[in-house]
Amino acid sequence: MAIATYERTQFTNQSPFDAFIGGNNAALTPLERTGRDIFVSASCDRCHRLAIMSDHDFHYTGVRPAGEDPGRFAVTADP
């Protein structure tokens, strides 16, 4: 119960990024906006969306050969 109580305090909704996605385009510095532009141009935002930065799905990231680490495929059988 103590860990759950602590973890509930670890959520932020007042970062500059939170303000940016809330509509305040001036919330990010020019360097942060450049980083976001790179993030978007690399299509990272297809899976890492909104404030939670997730689409709540599992993805093969290509870090290890697929045959070497079956990952979620071992559970779902869905390539």
Side-chain angles (χ1 to χ4, degrees), residues 38-52:
I38 294 168
F39 185 81
V40 171
S41 69
S43 299
C44 297
D45 63 331
R46 285 182 23 209
C47 300
H48 300 279
R49 296 185 210 158
L50 304 174
I52 197 161

Side-chain angles (χ1 to χ4, degrees), residues 24-44:
N24 179 356
N25 290 330
L28 299 180
T29 68
L31 184 59
E32 290 167 336
R33 283 194 299 272
T34 299
R36 184 182 180 283
D37 291 343
I38 294 168
F39 185 81
V40 171
S41 69
S43 299
C44 297

